[in-house]
Amino acid sequence: MGAGGCPWARAVACGDRRRGGPEVVGRAVVGRAAGKAAAAAAVAAVLVGGCAAGGGAGGTAAGPSAAGTGPSAGAAGPSAGARAVGAAGPSAAASDAPGPARVAAKGGTLGAPGSACPLPVTFDVAAAWVPKRIKPVDDPDLRDLLDQGTVTIVCEIDAKPAGNIGFLRVWTDGDAAASPREVLESFVAGDDSPGSVVHRDVELAEDPALPAAEVTYVVTSPLLDERKKVRALAVVTPAGPVVLELGGLDTDEHEGMLPAYELAKGSLAAARR
């Protein structure tokens, strides 16, 4: 079974799924002893060679693709996509830096029926980023790669056509009774050795009535053997929870991708059916 032409194997896997295929290239390809520059070069080589290539205006994949991230897709002025209204958990490396958030230029909107990824929510996508629907799989080993906590990945937005190596991923579940905080707690617990976890309630700028929460935390990158930031936004719609996740090859690249995440967060609203 393939994802964008890249074979699914636990030794070498496409995507930064923390269980079977860490961060674009497995340890069988780039060992822990490799320097960061060598790892980045290997990532670029794999992606350019066709592993989970994301061309065109959207598509379908059998599983999550290569997931390293790259520099910002371009900023379009200061704006905060959601207002923090509360926080819980220790302050640590995963906490947000002070100052206004940069927001990427809009390239389109995702989530409505007929779009590349029909979702319970809609949000804006950064210019040149390409969404791709993730098809369900029956193989239990592969299925494990698509689940984290209570949610399952259903869509990823590829930054590579915009000149970056990275993805913004969307996860969903059908349990509308769960709270955003509960969804995120389960999501974080399903990651590899999460630490420095900071939860906060947020009020969405586009849809203040939609229950929402956000989390930032750190995990160890299996590719680089260093700690890196992850953040995720969860909302609960009548159709169930939705998680928007931004990971990254390392913390520097994660932070470079934040303008695209902020664009999505600031425009996210329940889909009109």
Side-chain angles (χ1 to χ4, degrees):
M1 188 165 187
C6 183
W8 280 58
R10 289 189 177 271
V12 181
C14 288
D16 65 349
R17 293 282 40 85
R18 268 62 75 174
R19 301 180 186 87
E23 214 63 66
V24 183
V25 199
R27 292 181 190 143
V29 174
V30 179
R32 290 186 173 213
K36 183 173 177 180
V43 169
V46 171
L47 289 173
V48 171
C51 176
T60 303
S65 307
T69 55
S72 165
S79 172
R83 296 187 297 275
V85 296
S91 174
S95 60
D96 294 322
R102 293 181 300 137
V103 179
K106 175 182 174 180
T109 301
L110 187 66
S115 68
C117 297
L119 300 166
V121 297
T122 60
F123 56 88
D124 293 339
V125 175
W129 289 47
V130 177
K132 182 168 56 180
R133 184 173 64 90
I134 305 299
K135 295 192 301 184
V137 297
D138 296 326
D139 187 305
D141 291 332
L142 298 182
R143 176 74 184 182
D144 184 59
L145 298 176
L146 304 184
D147 293 338
Q148 185 166 321
T150 60
V151 291
T152 300
I153 188 170
V154 295
C155 184
E156 58 185 11
I157 303 109
D158 185 1
K160 183 155 50 65
N164 304 288
I165 300 174
F167 291 87
L168 195 61
R169 288 192 166 111
V170 186
W171 309 70
T172 63
D173 180 32
D175 182 11
S179 71
R181 173 66 177 265
E182 290 171 335
V183 173
L184 289 179
E185 287 175 345
S186 175
F187 187 80
V188 172
D191 216 331
D192 283 342
S193 303
S196 302
V197 180
V198 179
H199 287 277
R200 64 185 64 82
D201 295 326
V202 296
E203 183 178 287
L204 298 177
E206 190 68 21
D207 193 347
L210 195 64
E214 189 175 35
V215 65
T216 51
Y217 60 104
V218 295
V219 295
T220 299
S221 167
L223 179 64
L224 301 178
D225 196 21
E226 65 181 42
R227 300 292 272 174
K228 62 171 187 137
K229 288 185 181 180
V230 181
R231 71 186 59 212
L233 174 74
V235 299
V236 176
T237 75
V242 177
V243 173
L244 189 67
E245 177 217 6
L246 182 70
L249 180 66
D250 57 26
T251 290
D252 288 342
E253 300 214 16
H254 170 89
E255 291 179 345
M257 305 268 303
L258 285 177
Y261 173 87
E262 294 293 342
L263 173 69
K265 182 172 73 170
S267 57
L268 192 144
R272 295 181 176 86
R273 302 293 178 182

